[in-house]
Amino acid sequence: MTMPSKKFYQLVKAKEKSIICLACNHHCIIENQKTGKCGVRKNNNGQLDLLVNNKLIAFNDDPIEKKPLFHFLPGEESFSISTLGCNFSCDFCQNWDISQTPKEQKEEDIYWGEKWPPQKIIDYCLKNKIKIIAYTYNEPTIWIEYALEIMKLAKKEKIKNVWVSNGYFSDFTLKAIAPYLNAVNIDLKSFSEEFYQNICDAHLEPVKNNIKKVFELGIWEEITTLIIPQLNDSDEELLAMAQFLKDISKDLVWHISAFYPAYKMINTKPTPLETILRAYNLGKKGGLNYVYTGNILKADSESTYCPNCQKMVIQRMGIQLIENKLQKNQCPYCGYQIAGVFD
């Protein structure tokens, strides 16, 4: 059963029953019986139906480090949940079978997922003593009504809410989730408007603006960039991204991940190790305190070092937490306060 929303859309033409969706920065104008760019928000006679309401296509217990969030409750498990659909159409999507299905199949042919009403998700977390719900695998903005109901219930039970997002949510959505959102990882896919338009079917500026807005709201935030050979791996672009983040805060965490062939880019070569390490060094050169590599086995650049005394304070191997030496949020060697949420 779909869920009519009267909050995240507006009727724009009563006669034709067309609506404008307010969930993300595409602000799709959706004609009657059509869906927006995401494929899951449908105009049903002038009302917006969320086709994935109460439907999860993926749900798993994951370490929080997998999101990736390295400075938010290290070592905790998260219940990771996802619906179908996405408001981006990235050629390199690693989860394309989840994100793009509603755009590539007929509505009546799609398996929309298993029924998981919000209370069932909360009950699962309480029963299994899971302290975090991660809205991930696809873009949670496109199922905002469903996500928001879960988030409200989670907060009542002192369960943390974290999003893994492409950063394209609208101001309307950010205002709605801010009281319930504890942390977010936002993809900064490139620092090129051309890349965003041609590869993702989106725009760069809304993402940059949202990274700033989330930080200003005091929500814990980390950033991820997937490095793709010859598309976003130049020294100039990587340094520009690092400097943009540093201008917001030198403590803004930046994850640099390796690309592997997927979806429409199966003929593109994987990101070489030396490219990832070069990006890591440029992040440090750009003035960021916390830069990490991902999707490669390189333990020394996956661990956390104190910016003051340079000693290792959290050791990781990939997404596995090996040892957390922090005393609350302080370096045990020099007392420097490590940025993050550790208690």
Side-chain angles (χ1 to χ4, degrees), residues 48-109:
L48 192 149
D49 279 359
L50 183 62
L51 300 177
V52 292
N53 183 51
N54 291 342
K55 299 286 188 180
L56 295 183
I57 199 68
F59 44 92
N60 296 286
D61 296 347
D62 290 330
I64 193 63
E65 285 81 6
K66 189 177 180 180
K67 300 305 100 192
L69 286 166
F70 278 13
H71 287 234
F72 184 83
L73 303 180
E76 288 289 348
E77 287 291 302
S78 66
F79 186 45
S80 298
I81 59 176
S82 167
T83 71
L84 288 177
C86 187
N87 54 346
F88 278 22
S89 300
C90 301
D91 291 347
F92 53 85
C93 184
Q94 309 290 294
N95 293 324
W96 62 270
D97 52 336
I98 290 174
S99 68
Q100 304 305 311
T101 291
K103 308 173 191 180
E104 297 177 350
Q105 296 183 26
K106 294 180 180 180
E107 182 180 327
E108 60 269 22
D109 296 333

Side-chain angles (χ1 to χ4, degrees), residues 90-96 225-229 231-232 256-276 293-298 302:
C90 301
D91 291 347
F92 53 85
C93 184
Q94 309 290 294
N95 293 324
W96 62 270
T225 301
L226 187 73
I227 307 298
I228 305 173
L231 284 180
N232 64 351
I256 298 164
S257 295
F259 162 84
Y260 292 94
Y263 194 38
K264 296 180 180 179
M265 295 180 64
I266 57 173
N267 295 320
T268 302
K269 293 182 179 180
T271 314
L273 172 60
E274 54 267 27
T275 299
I276 296 300
T293 59
N295 290 356
I296 61 169
L297 198 59
K298 184 66 177 168
E302 294 159 345

Side-chain angles (χ1 to χ4, degrees), residues 5-280:
S5 166
K6 294 184 178 180
K7 187 173 182 182
F8 290 89
Y9 78 96
Q10 290 179 346
L11 188 68
V12 291
K13 290 185 179 180
K15 187 176 180 180
E16 292 86 358
K17 298 181 180 179
S18 62
I19 63 174
I20 182 170
C21 178
L22 305 177
C24 85
N25 270 294
H26 285 306
H27 292 116
C28 295
I29 295 177
I30 310 173
E31 297 177 359
N32 192 24
Q33 300 306 316
K34 302 292 185 180
T35 60
K37 281 178 175 284
C38 61
V40 302
R41 303 177 68 78
K42 183 178 180 180
N43 180 350
N44 187 6
N45 293 315
Q47 288 193 329
L48 192 149
D49 279 359
L50 183 62
L51 300 177
V52 292
N53 183 51
N54 291 342
K55 299 286 188 180
L56 295 183
I57 199 68
F59 44 92
N60 296 286
D61 296 347
D62 290 330
I64 193 63
E65 285 81 6
K66 189 177 180 180
K67 300 305 100 192
L69 286 166
F70 278 13
H71 287 234
F72 184 83
L73 303 180
E76 288 289 348
E77 287 291 302
S78 66
F79 186 45
S80 298
I81 59 176
S82 167
T83 71
L84 288 177
C86 187
N87 54 346
F88 278 22
S89 300
C90 301
D91 291 347
F92 53 85
C93 184
Q94 309 290 294
N95 293 324
W96 62 270
D97 52 336
I98 290 174
S99 68
Q100 304 305 311
T101 291
K103 308 173 191 180
E104 297 177 350
Q105 296 183 26
K106 294 180 180 180
E107 182 180 327
E108 60 269 22
D109 296 333
I110 296 174
Y111 171 66
W112 292 97
E114 186 175 313
K115 188 173 181 179
W116 278 80
Q119 190 60 53
K120 181 179 176 180
I121 293 170
I122 302 302
D123 291 344
Y124 177 88
C125 292
L126 293 173
K127 179 181 177 181
N128 293 280
K129 298 181 179 179
I130 296 174
K131 300 178 182 179
I132 304 169
I133 298 174
Y135 307 72
T136 182
Y137 305 138
N138 79 331
E139 175 52 46
T141 299
I142 68 166
W143 42 291
I144 175 60
E145 295 89 349
Y146 179 26
L148 190 57
E149 289 306 306
I150 302 166
M151 295 172 78
K152 289 177 179 179
L153 292 176
K155 185 173 183 178
K156 289 181 181 179
E157 298 293 345
K158 298 183 179 180
I159 299 169
K160 305 299 184 185
N161 293 299
V162 305
W163 274 31
V164 180
S165 174
N166 58 30
Y168 220 63
F169 39 80
S170 66
D171 287 345
F172 198 69
T173 289
L174 181 56
K175 183 178 180 180
I177 63 174
Y180 311 100
L181 185 64
N182 300 102
V184 61
N185 185 298
I186 293 180
D187 287 337
L188 180 59
K189 297 177 185 290
S190 168
F191 219 57
S192 161
E193 171 64 13
E194 183 180 4
F195 180 104
Y196 265 88
Q197 286 190 34
N198 295 339
I199 306 295
C200 306
D201 192 22
H203 298 282
L204 170 61
E205 206 61 28
V207 180
K208 291 170 60 180
N209 289 337
N210 277 334
I211 290 172
K212 294 176 185 176
K213 290 172 185 175
V214 168
F215 182 83
E216 289 166 358
L217 286 169
I219 298 166
W220 182 253
E221 178 179 28
E222 302 187 18
I223 307 300
T224 296
T225 301
L226 187 73
I227 307 298
I228 305 173
Q230 298 183 350
L231 284 180
N232 64 351
D233 63 345
S234 71
D235 284 5
E236 293 78 13
E237 183 167 356
L238 293 169
L239 191 56
M241 282 192 274
Q243 290 174 338
F244 164 75
L245 298 177
K246 184 252 184 181
D247 286 345
I248 298 172
S249 171
K250 64 181 181 179
D251 289 332
L252 199 51
V253 176
W254 192 24
H255 299 268
I256 298 164
S257 295
F259 162 84
Y260 292 94
Y263 194 38
K264 296 180 180 179
M265 295 180 64
I266 57 173
N267 295 320
T268 302
K269 293 182 179 180
T271 314
L273 172 60
E274 54 267 27
T275 299
I276 296 300
L277 297 180
R278 175 168 55 83
Y280 173 87

